Amino acid sequence: MIKRIIQGIFILLLLYLSFFPRATEVIAQNYIFGFDQGRDYLAARSIIEDHKFTLIGSEWGAGSAGLTGLFHGPGYFYLLSIAYLLFDGNPYGGVVFMLLLGLISIVMAYVIGKKILGSLGGYFFAFLIAISPPLIAQSRFFWNSYPSTPLILGVFYFVYRSTLGRKNIDIFLSSFLSGFIYNFQTGIAVPLILTYIIYAVLFLRLRKFIQYVSLFSGVFLSFLPLIFFELRHNFQGARGLISYLFVHEKTEITLLFLQRMMSDHLGSFIYNFSDSFPKTNIPWWILLITVFISSLYFWYKEKNGALRIFLLYLLTIPFVAFLVFSPLRNSVYPYYLYSLTLVYLFFFSYSFSHAVLKRSPFVLAVYVILFVWFSLVAVVSASTTYSADVRDYGGDAKFKGKLDAITFIYTDAGGKNFNLLVFSPPVYTYPYDYLLQWYGKKKFGYLPGAEKEGVVYLLIEKDHSKPWSYKGWLETVIVEGKVEKTSVLPSGLIVQKRVFPQ
């Protein structure tokens, strides 16, 4: 009876921590809608409305990572196009999709964890994914890197299956899913592909030719859109990558590289590990040593041969990722390392479940303390974050602020034609362009022009790091016209009405 009560409490706790931290924006119907979201919904609209099917997704680093001509796969755009179709163009559909994918990831973590580690390990794995800060963030707004988590879990599952039986279908699916993640984030896909190839050769020790065919055909098929695009465009991505890697200033390159690798790159990996768990006062290195030593101890005693080898696969991923990102002359961004978050959470679940099953009192006591601490922090964080964010208007970053600004302008125009010019710090005005096409035209029946003549509204989004910068735009690009009025909206967006001579 007591055991069932405890199990019931754990399940209710998991359900609460799975849903409420992730559902804030879905419940409030107010979510981040910025440069990336506007650009991606314009792409989805183009697929559905204009039937323009694409072989590429967004550019790496949105064109600001120092890499040119390199693109993620188109899968994310097609995923958003489904949301576009089901929700009639409302970007709210993208947030609903992200919430569903987040909840699906937790269910997948339990099912996969149970198959590999048993019921207890499955529960711990699902619980840790439910409370992991970066994984919670993936459900709160839509972005191309965020759908990668269920795919990474799928990779782990089929890699484990390929370890059990070396079946061709499992080898193929392991490599195919590893590569397919490039449709959402190439920075995750490349280390996973290289890790699995190394793993298949050194640890699985594939011997049959057909097994290697399965391995490399999975990689080839997953990147087929990129291959077609490169062939069509004279290998512009490959040339851009070669230029990035080999065409640069040679002065003090070795010293600068080492400094950056140790300070910036290594710091990114440390932050990734620390951020994988709820925020506590535990130093990251103590937590790392605890998880590593206990995992190593149970791995040494592990009698399940397939699990032993599979754990080596997981351990290899961080090292391969570090080597892959070492040549980067820009930062290693957190979203490159989402697969490592799942690796750390799996090792924690492995050690915790084995501490219970093997009845290791000292190790078990340490993990029980960590589990309780994480649970308390997660419950408090979920409650306070939800209660605060569900009422948060969000300023100019969120959907309602931008929508209210467009409504204000149309209402002020009183049904008459007008022109609209937008100042936005990213320069490109994708979110406003999309909202005008989807909401403005549908609700008010027409689109504004973009000329400096007649009635012109200026919609200004301040750069929060340089809040004065828009004044330069007004003094250089927008000079003419009589200012009739200037309004500062609750979102912080500025709307100025001018009349230009015709």
Side-chain angles (χ1 to χ4, degrees), residues 87-156:
F87 286 80
D88 194 26
N90 192 335
Y92 181 68
V95 187
V96 173
F97 267 42
M98 292 302 105
L99 173 62
L100 292 176
L101 287 175
L103 297 176
I104 288 170
S105 296
I106 296 169
V107 174
M108 287 181 64
Y110 175 75
V111 173
I112 294 170
K114 182 180 179 181
K115 288 185 177 294
I116 300 176
L117 301 175
S119 297
L120 199 59
Y123 175 81
F124 289 143
F125 193 33
F127 179 80
L128 289 172
I129 284 182
I131 64 175
S132 178
L135 303 185
I136 291 173
Q138 291 179 0
S139 296
R140 296 193 56 175
F141 67 95
F142 53 95
W143 195 34
N144 65 285
S145 299
Y146 285 174
S148 59
T149 293
L151 290 171
I152 297 168
L153 290 169
V155 170
F156 288 1

Side-chain angles (χ1 to χ4, degrees), residues 331-364:
S331 296
V332 176
Y333 298 113
Y335 44 89
Y336 294 171
L337 307 178
Y338 284 147
S339 61
L340 306 193
T341 292
L342 297 179
V343 168
Y344 304 139
L345 300 184
F346 189 92
F347 273 114
F348 189 103
S349 306
Y350 170 73
S351 296
F352 196 176
S353 60
H354 274 57
V356 176
L357 297 174
K358 304 297 183 182
R359 298 180 180 179
S360 303
F362 176 74
V363 179
L364 180 59

Side-chain angles (χ1 to χ4, degrees), residues 34-36 62 423-432 461-463:
F35 171 90
D36 295 292
F423 174 83
S424 179
V427 180
Y428 296 102
T429 57
Y430 297 135
Y432 303 98
E461 178 185 322
K462 286 186 178 181
D463 186 339

Side-chain angles (χ1 to χ4, degrees), residues 56 194 362 389 402 435:
I56 57 171
L194 294 177
F362 176 74
D389 289 357
K402 289 182 169 67
L435 292 178

Side-chain angles (χ1 to χ4, degrees), residues 445-471:
Y446 66 104
L447 284 172
E451 305 297 328
K452 290 192 287 184
E453 60 183 30
V455 177
V456 177
Y457 287 92
L458 308 178
L459 177 56
I460 300 168
E461 178 185 322
K462 286 186 178 181
D463 186 339
H464 296 287
S465 63
K466 296 180 289 184
W468 63 86
S469 59
Y470 75 92
K471 294 180 181 179

